[in-house]
Amino acid sequence: MLPSTLTSFLVPLLELWAHKPSASTSQPQRTPLNFELRHLYAVNSDAHVAFSDISRSQLAGLTSNEDTTPYTISRTAPLTTYKPSSFDAFINARRSSWNPSLQSAALNWDEDIVIGPDVESRETLLLLAKMTNNAYLTPGEEGWYDLGDKWPVSYPFGWQPPYADGFRGHVFATPDNSTVVVSIKGTSAGLWGSSPTAKKDKLNDNLLFSCCCARVGWTWTTVCDCYRGSYKCDQECLEEALMDESLFYPIGTNLYNNLTYIYPDANIWVIGHSLGGALASLIGVTFGAPAVTFESPGEKMAGMRLHLPSPPSLQHVTHVFHTADPIAMGACNGILSSCSLGGYAMESRCHMGKTIVYDTVSNLSWPVAIRTHGIVTVIEEVLGVPWLPSVDVGREVPEAVPQDDCVECYSWEFGSFPAKKK
């Protein structure tokens, strides 16, 4: 297990969330935003934070030419968001919900209108997906997308040991600091490999997305001690396991709070792929920040176990995935699945907010396979070309809709099942 000392070194991470357009602003504004790479960040299991600035002179000096064109998102939209009155109030509401012995703490939500990404624009989603891809890489590394012409490279500050085994990503900002995008890295090396973060990625995957501590079969080593036999799982034990301060969710909230301190007047968006997308959504729900995810496993169950207070609307969280991805669809489970063979209990399937689902199985005849889960596949084969089923009805992307009537872990019984005394 990871040590539980990290949070004291991070300042909370997100601002709030939601993006329900009002009647007067239902048409997206086509306002371009130009983003520059500002920070590289990484957090390791020993509570050390690497959060390195990238100066304009470094950007110019590290590029192979003088072109330092920033990433451009050509379409944005006004979003109505609901933010907790303070992060402390949010935490108190979580605690009172988790512990019935505490007095219930009412949480007041402050309504705000912010500029968020226009998720009905294919170009906007494509550029966010490329930013998400780059969270796995250092600038200039093979596979890095140079968005908006030639994007200058930078030194990988914060990615060398001892900071190389934990929470990672990139921070982009507009030149006027009005909008900041946090791109969170997901599980590295597919599901297998020797990435420095692989061990902690797997721990977070198995805690957040399994029904009960990654108890898939009797041969499995669980990631918490909540299994009580015969498909019974102790709910309080599960929730306590997710409260560990060294896990990625509290690290993410602390990072978000760091950014609100550095950029007090900015709109902060949170994006990510796979595990990074689920974390982006949880952070977006926590702070009312616009969040866009790609091929994220269902994070609704984790949000409930974390006792995240729900704002008046979750329209600011958007999940983008396709039907051939068994992880996002909640089909990469069972003892013989690819995920299980790799030691991953990816059993969740329900998403919060809205989902934009590309039916690649019906429309492109893709087989359901874990190899389609990668962000590059999404960029180059899904978002990189016009989606004809949407074009035929006058849209650029499939309609964003909530995931209604979603059920997961139906064979399990959750409740109070105290551990037997030894």
Side-chain angles (χ1 to χ4, degrees):
M1 291 295 293
L2 300 170
S4 58
T5 53
L6 308 156
T7 308
S8 60
F9 284 69
L10 302 166
V11 192
L13 184 274
L14 309 162
E15 269 215 274
L16 292 203
W17 64 282
H19 66 279
K20 182 174 65 176
S22 63
S24 61
T25 57
S26 59
Q27 295 299 318
Q29 292 184 349
R30 301 177 183 272
T31 305
L33 294 175
N34 296 321
F35 289 91
E36 301 175 333
L37 180 63
R38 289 291 179 82
H39 309 283
L40 297 169
Y41 63 81
V43 185
N44 79 342
S45 60
D46 296 321
H48 295 291
V49 181
F51 195 32
S52 302
D53 295 348
I54 305 296
S55 68
R56 292 179 183 269
S57 61
Q58 287 173 323
L59 289 175
L62 292 171
T63 185
S64 58
N65 56 46
E66 294 304 315
D67 186 357
T68 58
T69 303
Y71 295 177
T72 299
I73 292 180
S74 60
R75 282 174 56 177
T76 59
L79 305 175
T80 300
T81 66
Y82 297 89
K83 305 178 180 182
S85 56
S86 69
F87 187 68
D88 286 342
F90 184 89
I91 294 299
N92 289 335
R94 282 185 64 199
R95 287 173 177 166
S96 65
S97 173
W98 180 63
N99 188 345
S101 66
L102 297 177
Q103 183 177 359
S104 177
L107 183 60
N108 296 320
W109 298 93
D110 296 330
E111 182 177 327
D112 193 13
I113 297 178
V114 302
I115 297 299
D118 179 7
V119 296
E120 295 188 356
S121 163
R122 181 175 68 87
E123 179 184 349
T124 296
L125 292 181
L126 178 60
L127 287 166
L128 289 176
K130 289 180 177 180
M131 285 186 181
T132 298
N133 169 83
N134 290 354
Y136 289 87
L137 307 166
T138 56
E141 186 177 349
E142 183 179 358
W144 177 276
Y145 282 99
D146 292 329
L147 306 180
D149 299 326
K150 306 274 185 187
W151 180 246
V153 299
S154 67
Y155 294 112
F157 298 121
W159 287 55
Q160 296 88 359
Y163 308 107
D165 68 340
F167 191 87
R168 284 186 184 178
H170 295 300
V171 176
F172 303 92
T174 54
D176 62 358
N177 295 335
S178 64
T179 303
V180 172
V181 175
V182 184
S183 178
I184 304 173
K185 185 189 77 64
T187 302
S188 290
L191 290 179
W192 301 269
S194 57
S195 167
T197 70
K199 182 178 180 180
K200 306 230 173 25
D201 292 343
K202 178 183 280 191
L203 174 63
N204 279 268
D205 282 330
N206 282 339
L207 275 173
L208 291 172
F209 312 124
S210 71
C211 292
C212 185
C213 304
R215 169 74 186 194
V216 175
W218 66 271
T219 61
W220 279 60
T221 300
T222 58
V223 291
C224 51
D225 298 321
C226 309
Y227 177 66
R228 300 294 183 257
S230 302
Y231 285 94
K232 290 183 171 62
C233 194
D234 188 76
Q235 183 72 21
E236 184 176 347
C237 173
L238 271 180
E239 294 169 359
E240 288 179 347
L242 289 181
M243 292 290 184
D244 193 314
E245 294 182 346
S246 65
L247 297 178
F248 284 176
Y249 168 73
I251 292 174
T253 56
N254 284 322
L255 173 62
Y256 188 93
N257 279 324
N258 266 335
L259 292 175
T260 61
Y261 178 79
I262 298 171
Y263 301 103
D265 300 318
N267 295 319
I268 300 179
W269 305 350
V270 197
I271 63 175
H273 166 255
S274 192
L275 169 62
L279 293 167
S281 174
L282 294 172
I283 291 169
V285 171
T286 300
F287 296 98
V292 178
T293 85
F294 299 92
E295 307 305 317
S296 167
E299 86 297 8
K300 185 175 183 179
M301 181 168 60
M304 294 174 63
R305 291 174 177 176
L306 287 165
H307 285 262
L308 301 187
S310 182
S313 169
L314 284 171
Q315 297 297 300
H316 63 294
V317 176
T318 304
H319 298 279
V320 182
F321 57 93
H322 62 80
T323 56
D325 178 5
I327 293 178
M329 294 294 292
C332 197
N333 49 55
I335 198 67
L336 296 179
S337 68
S338 298
C339 292
S340 293
L341 292 174
Y344 290 77
M346 308 297 288
E347 299 172 301
S348 64
R349 60 184 299 266
C350 302
H351 299 80
M352 295 186 285
K354 301 180 298 183
T355 59
I356 294 176
V357 183
Y358 287 80
D359 191 353
T360 53
V361 172
S362 298
N363 292 289
L364 301 181
S365 299
W366 284 13
V368 177
I370 200 170
R371 60 180 173 79
T372 69
H373 176 69
I375 187 62
V376 174
T377 298
V378 176
I379 291 170
E380 301 195 352
E381 300 184 46
V382 179
L383 295 173
V385 294
W387 183 249
L388 295 183
S390 294
V391 172
D392 289 344
V393 294
R395 302 181 56 85
E396 294 185 24
V397 305
E399 184 180 2
V401 296
Q403 203 173 28
D404 295 326
D405 302 321
C406 182
V407 179
E408 54 197 349
C409 299
Y410 57 85
S411 61
W412 284 86
E413 183 180 356
F414 299 93
S416 179
F417 303 110
K420 295 181 179 179
K421 295 182 179 180
K422 297 181 179 180

